[in-house]
Amino acid sequence: MSDVASQLFEREAIRELIARVGRLLDTKDFAAVIASFAEPGSYVLRAYSPEIGKEMIWMSVKRAELLRLLKESAEHVHDLADRTHQITVDQISLEKGEALARSTFSVFRTDMKGQSDLFAVGHYEDRLVKNGDTWLIDSRTVRLHTRMFTVPTPLPL
Amino acid sequence: MDHVENAMDHVSPWATAPKLPSTHYVDNRIYTDPVIFEEEREKILAATWRLVCHESELPEPGDYRAKEIAGVPVVILRSEDRSIMAFFNVCPHRGARLVRDERGNAKKGLQCLYHLWTFALDGKCTSITRSKGYDGCSLKKDDVGLRSVRTEIFCGMVFVCLKDDVPPLEQFLGGMADHMKTHLGQEELEVFHYHRAIINTNWKLFVDNNSELYHEFLHVLNRRTAVAHKSYHERNWLLYQNSHNIIQQGVIHYDSYGLGERSEGALPGMQPNGMVVMLLFPDVMLNIRATVMRIDTMTPLAPGKTLVEWRGVGLKSDTPDVRAMRIQHHNEVWGPAGRNLPEDIAAVETQWETMVQGGSRYSLFAREEGLKPQDDANLRAFYQEWGRCLGRAPNDPFRHGNVDTDVSHSIKEITNV
Ligand code: FES
Ligand SMILES: [Fe+2]
């Protein structure tokens, strides 16, 4: 495969991975979400508060803690609504078996009566690594634009 | 209109008042009725000291924060001499909102966007556009300053009161002042987390939720780390005048839920893994989990809509490592992605859903455990104070004729301090 072709191939694989993780979160296939992260992996949820003029971290966990949170979620009183991710990968830069990707996401929430609302918008900043032939998320920073949730949730966005 | 009639008025036995002392239950229309809501705005929300921010949110002269108190827009700002003042966030000319953002700096003073009148940080009007147009009626700058709002600061907490005839803040805080000095007054604090949400419930249901330790059973985390342990039940509520309260410090067993110990970096007044919960009537809830403090305040928007603001607080002197630890401890339990907040919100929103259609007529506050954590005495005191402010009996708010607002029955519970 030519360099250009292989670059396109890698980019497509990364795009698919990011889209797939969104779908897996929607279907609550948490084992597969975790399998999409490298070890030790990290997931950070950030937002900026204009009210106090500060960058905030709302969640910062390693892969193992993320797994625990996802497993735990069933025992917590949790939101019964469905979620739908819509993700556009805006930018991918590849370098020596690693990649940085920036995506824009929106998450819609469909309540039990069937009413859908926009729940959150923001960006993913992903650092990806290759494990054999497979791309994995090494670290994901979720930069939220939405700061008021209709329903709070410990589930990753 | 006296009150909104609801379907349950005609259904037995739910429409029958519980066979309990009148202090031990409330009529759920105190949460849902629009007339009562308007009265609360006037007689409680506009008539008590209300926490608006922490002074660390206004570090520089000219810094301001905007807020609504009982529907009135207020701007709180730090003036040139570093004192903190508050004004109606309203132009005295024709009522345009003066600052439109939540926070900012107005070091050069405030300018109204509409006809460009300007005001100094002390509220004085400094210029009137084309002022000669007012010569005919002799209107002067001195006649049109901003309407100031009473402001007092206690332990770095900035309170305002819309009414001029309410006793000073420290008198209002009463016995709680010493607890605040212990936890908030020994070292300079700093807000590191802020988020808010509009929750679909009545504001008092969220007060109940936070103040009622019986609700710890809602949270799997609290079931394992708190109520399952004998020592949790061996401490008392301290109830104060004006319905402020605090629970004596208890130790939380984070290890019972696989969470890290909170033995290092405890905040002032806190023991390792200690926890306290405080309520400052009507709407300020302070929770401290050893290393981190959470401050909740509310702006009731409608009977079933409440804006809640949550702050996470550490020490101003925190090193980056210590701050990171506090943030982690905050987020493990609290915050919009914490374990417990979704559970609290789910509970209080379902309460609203059943009450607003009349599907639930009475709520019980009947637990008596000798002021131990899961006694309802603190909530009984809250509703007695609420009843005193409104001149309505919480268990029978539409009773005609004289309403018994005697609070001596709950004062009996207050004599423990
Ligand atoms: S309304 Fe403010 S200057 Fe006219
Ligand atoms: Fe709770």
Side-chain angles (χ1 to χ4, degrees):
Chain A
M1 210 176 338
S2 73
D3 267 8
V4 174
S6 87
Q7 281 236 354
L8 286 173
F9 182 82
E10 303 290 20
R11 279 167 195 278
E12 194 48 33
I14 289 168
R15 221 178 285 280
E16 266 184 22
L17 168 69
I18 291 170
R20 188 168 67 245
V21 172
R23 270 199 318 280
L24 295 169
L25 285 167
D26 293 342
T27 54
K28 299 196 170 65
D29 188 346
F30 297 142
V33 170
I34 293 301
S36 309
F37 276 78
E39 276 285 10
S42 79
Y43 175 90
V44 181
L45 188 61
R46 304 186 73 109
Y48 175 77
S49 164
E51 296 86 0
I52 57 168
K54 286 197 171 89
E55 273 288 333
M56 299 178 290
I57 292 176
W58 285 2
M59 184 189 285
S60 177
V61 288
K62 298 281 180 220
R63 181 186 193 263
E65 293 160 83
L66 190 60
L67 173 64
R68 176 188 164 175
L69 266 179
L70 292 169
K71 276 190 179 159
E72 249 180 36
S73 64
E75 70 179 357
H76 288 281
V77 176
H78 56 275
D79 187 15
L80 298 173
D82 286 326
R83 301 197 304 183
T84 308
H85 281 73
Q86 190 167 41
I87 303 167
T88 309
V89 180
D90 307 319
Q91 215 175 36
I92 298 173
S93 55
L94 289 163
E95 203 172 322
K96 296 184 199 134
E98 291 185 5
L100 298 174
R102 185 182 191 276
S103 313
T104 305
F105 71 86
S106 40
V107 180
F108 296 86
R109 182 175 173 275
T110 304
D111 69 17
M112 286 184 298
K113 298 184 193 91
Q115 181 172 314
S116 298
D117 288 298
L118 180 60
F119 179 70
V121 295
H123 291 107
Y124 293 140
E125 290 166 6
D126 293 329
R127 184 172 173 278
L128 303 112
V129 291
K130 221 168 171 192
N131 183 15
D133 285 341
T134 313
W135 283 100
L136 295 172
I137 298 171
D138 180 55
S139 67
R140 165 163 285 185
T141 297
V142 182
R143 286 195 183 272
L144 279 169
H145 291 191
T146 304
R147 302 188 312 281
M148 281 174 85
F149 290 155
T150 44
V151 180
T153 177
L155 289 181
L157 284 167
Chain B
M1 184 176 67
D2 210 359
H3 71 272
V4 177
E5 179 135 321
N6 71 45
M8 291 310 290
D9 288 353
H10 310 290
V11 181
S12 188
W14 283 64
T16 310
K19 291 186 178 51
L20 290 168
S22 62
T23 49
H24 283 43
Y25 66 96
V26 302
D27 183 320
N28 290 339
R29 290 174 299 177
I30 67 167
Y31 303 114
T32 57
D33 188 85
V35 173
I36 287 184
F37 180 78
E38 287 308 320
E39 271 185 32
E40 286 177 330
R41 275 193 154 179
E42 180 197 332
K43 296 179 179 173
I44 297 178
L45 303 169
T48 48
W49 285 99
R50 307 289 306 286
L51 177 65
V52 285
C53 64
H54 186 264
E55 65 177 346
S56 69
E57 295 170 52
L58 302 164
E60 301 300 329
D63 283 349
Y64 63 80
R65 293 282 273 119
K67 171 101 182 151
E68 293 218 342
I69 303 289
V72 177
V74 170
V75 57
I76 305 100
L77 47 81
R78 194 180 280 279
S79 55
E80 293 292 354
D81 66 2
R82 299 200 59 79
S83 63
I84 291 177
M85 307 173 94
F87 303 96
F88 278 23
N89 183 14
V90 174
C91 178
H93 176 220
R94 292 236 294 272
R97 193 181 287 263
L98 270 179
V99 307
R100 293 188 299 151
D101 46 2
E102 290 276 334
R103 172 188 151 270
N105 185 281
K107 197 161 185 190
K108 295 190 183 129
L110 299 162
Q111 182 170 49
C112 178
L113 85 167
Y114 204 176
H115 311 92
L116 311 184
W117 289 20
T118 59
F119 304 89
L121 296 181
D122 62 3
K124 290 200 179 92
C125 178
T126 44
S127 70
I128 292 180
T129 315
R130 266 179 64 78
S131 61
K132 66 176 188 236
Y134 291 110
D135 287 351
C137 64
S138 309
L139 184 101
K140 304 257 174 346
K141 285 187 289 193
D142 288 350
D143 304 330
V144 288
L146 302 182
R147 161 77 160 89
S148 71
V149 177
R150 286 176 74 194
T151 309
E152 288 198 41
I153 299 165
F154 189 76
C155 295
M157 312 269 272
V158 183
F159 290 81
V160 302
C161 183
L162 294 183
K163 287 251 166 83
D164 294 327
D165 56 354
V166 169
L169 175 63
E170 217 165 323
Q171 196 176 323
F172 172 69
L173 294 172
M176 281 301 285
D178 283 343
H179 296 287
M180 290 178 68
K181 283 181 195 157
T182 300
H183 295 293
L184 299 128
Q186 298 195 54
E187 284 197 58
E188 240 182 298
L189 305 175
E190 189 169 79
V191 176
F192 63 78
H193 171 95
Y194 176 96
H195 88 280
R196 62 179 159 184
I198 292 175
I199 58 175
N200 295 313
T201 198
N202 184 260
W203 67 277
K204 299 185 294 302
L205 294 170
F206 195 65
V207 172
D208 295 349
N209 170 270
N210 197 72
S211 296
E212 184 222 55
L213 296 189
Y214 189 43
H215 103 280
E216 302 220 44
F217 285 111
L218 163 69
H219 304 298
V220 58
L221 185 143
N222 301 36
R223 291 200 292 273
R224 301 218 190 123
T225 62
V227 288
H229 299 268
K230 192 161 167 275
S231 64
Y232 167 91
H233 301 275
E234 292 166 349
R235 59 208 168 108
N236 282 1
W237 280 105
L238 306 177
L239 309 182
Y240 293 96
Q241 297 290 353
N242 297 325
S243 180
H244 310 308
N245 59 59
I246 180 171
I247 183 84
Q248 289 171 328
Q249 202 166 152
V251 168
I252 303 302
H253 299 256
Y254 292 98
D255 52 339
S256 300
Y257 198 64
L259 297 174
E261 291 275 314
R262 300 187 178 194
S263 43
E264 311 252 309
L267 290 173
M270 297 303 294
Q271 60 193 86
N273 298 307
M275 177 161 188
V276 295
V277 176
M278 294 181 232
L279 170 73
L280 303 180
F281 186 85
D283 69 319
V284 180
M285 293 169 296
L286 288 108
N287 293 266
I288 310 176
R289 283 182 174 271
T291 49
V292 63
M293 183 186 306
R294 172 182 135 190
I295 303 175
D296 302 2
T297 52
M298 284 186 278
T299 306
L301 304 173
K305 283 223 178 299
T306 305
L307 172 71
V308 189
E309 294 172 272
W310 288 272
R311 287 170 168 81
V313 179
L315 297 182
K316 191 166 184 195
S317 59
D318 284 345
T319 62
D321 284 354
V322 171
R323 180 58 61 84
M325 173 198 72
R326 297 199 201 285
I327 292 172
Q328 188 204 325
H329 288 170
H330 176 272
N331 294 344
E332 277 175 0
V333 187
W334 297 332
R339 287 169 169 90
N340 280 11
L341 194 58
E343 303 184 318
D344 289 320
I345 304 297
V348 298
E349 290 197 338
T350 65
Q351 282 181 297
W352 171 260
E353 286 161 16
T354 71
M355 288 175 185
V356 70
Q357 297 298 339
S360 156
R361 178 62 185 275
Y362 295 102
S363 291
L364 310 186
F365 294 99
R367 298 183 60 77
E368 294 185 4
E369 293 199 50
L371 291 170
K372 293 283 179 270
Q374 297 191 330
D375 192 326
D376 285 337
N378 58 330
L379 292 169
R380 286 193 285 275
F382 176 88
Y383 284 107
Q384 289 305 303
E385 177 64 11
W386 179 92
R388 192 190 63 76
C389 292
L390 261 63
R392 290 179 185 266
N395 69 313
D396 192 3
F398 297 104
R399 189 191 325 161
H400 293 284
N402 285 341
V403 171
D404 169 23
T405 55
D406 175 14
V407 294
S408 56
H409 24 295
S410 64
I411 297 294
K412 262 187 244 143
E413 292 180 316
I414 298 174
T415 53
N416 69 321
V417 290

